[in-house]
Each structure stands twice: as structure tokens, then as C-alpha cells.
Amino acid sequence: NVEYNTALTIFFVPYIIFEIPSNILMKKLSPRIWLSTCMCLFGISILCQGLVQNYSGLLATRFFLGLFEAGMFPGCFYLIGMWYKRREAQRRYSFFFSSTTFAGAFGGLLAAAIGKMDGLRGYHGWRWIFILEGVLTVVVSFFFFFLIPSFPEDAKWLTREEKAFIKAR
């Protein structure tokens, strides 16, 4: 089906275009602000994907999903690279990739359970998957606003010597 393929593909247009500009914005705004904002808006896009009523609404939510996700994955890698030497960062990158695989594995189980909510409040089960995952993502993004570290040179909890040490590495 052409419409289905278009809905899947439109996600990648903003994702590819905004990856690099997103990292530039993260550098200007700080990781905690940029990454948590992208995560919140990503969650809202997922939530809206569960509420769409027509094809153009689906295309819009998929576009914004790609736009806001463009800042998250590359931004996390950029932030890790600012804190660790290349050799140290590799272990963190591997953990990050592994955690996304792990989340994907359990996401299917969660989706199967949520899908059993079919008919609740007049929504199909697939809608509930997007609605609940969107709400959870938005809630977690508020906590991440306070948990995501800044760049080493902006970290308030490091001494001047520690900042210089990390930057020199």
C-alpha cells in the first residue's frame, strides 16, 4: 500500500535533515534542556499518533516524530563523547545500543498487553499502545530535565580542576 509506505518513510525526511542542526542547538541550549524537550515533544507526537483520525493527521505525526527523534539519539551520542575518551565512550555506546535492543524486546510484550485494552473508551488496542507510550515518554522527559548532565565545562557540580581534567582528556 502506497499510503502505508509513505507514512513510514516521511519519518526519515526530518530525521535526516535535522540531525546535525539538532546537535548544534543542543550545544547552544544545553543537553538537559534540548534532550528533555525533544523527548517530551517526541512523546506528544507518539500520543497524537494514537489519536489521529485521518491519513493527513498520520503523516503530520510521523513527520514530527522524525523531527523530534532527530535530536535524541545523535544528541545522546554527542553528549557521551563530550564526557569520555574514545576508548571509554565505546563501552557506553555499546550499552546505549544494547539498551535500545533490550527495550525493543520488551516493547513487544508491553504492546501485546496494552493491545488487550481493545475497545476501552472506544479506542482500538493499537491506539492505546501509542497513547500510553506517549504519556509515559512525556512523564519520563520531565524527570530527565533534572537528571541529564550538562556538558563538562558547564557542570556546576565539578570543580574548576575537574572540568579542566575532563576537557583535556
Side-chain angles (χ1 to χ4, degrees), residues 33-47 68 72 134 137-142:
I33 293 171
W34 184 248
L35 291 174
S36 60
T37 299
C38 283
M39 186 176 184
C40 180
L41 295 172
F42 177 80
I44 291 170
S45 298
I46 293 173
L47 171 69
F68 300 127
M72 292 170 42
T137 302
V138 170
V139 169
V140 170
S141 75
F142 287 110

Side-chain angles (χ1 to χ4, degrees), residues 102-168:
F102 186 70
F106 284 99
L109 292 173
L110 181 62
I114 295 172
K116 299 210 183 284
M117 295 173 65
D118 193 40
L120 186 67
R121 300 231 185 242
Y123 289 125
H124 292 289
W126 68 265
R127 288 185 182 273
W128 281 113
I129 293 168
F130 288 111
I131 292 167
L132 294 177
E133 286 184 2
V135 168
L136 179 63
T137 302
V138 170
V139 169
V140 170
S141 75
F142 287 110
F143 289 104
F144 276 13
F145 179 80
F146 300 102
L147 296 175
I148 294 174
S150 192
F151 290 116
E153 62 269 15
D154 300 326
K156 292 180 171 73
W157 46 274
L158 291 175
T159 65
R160 188 178 321 194
E161 295 80 21
E162 290 169 330
K163 289 177 187 179
F165 173 75
I166 290 172
K167 191 167 184 161

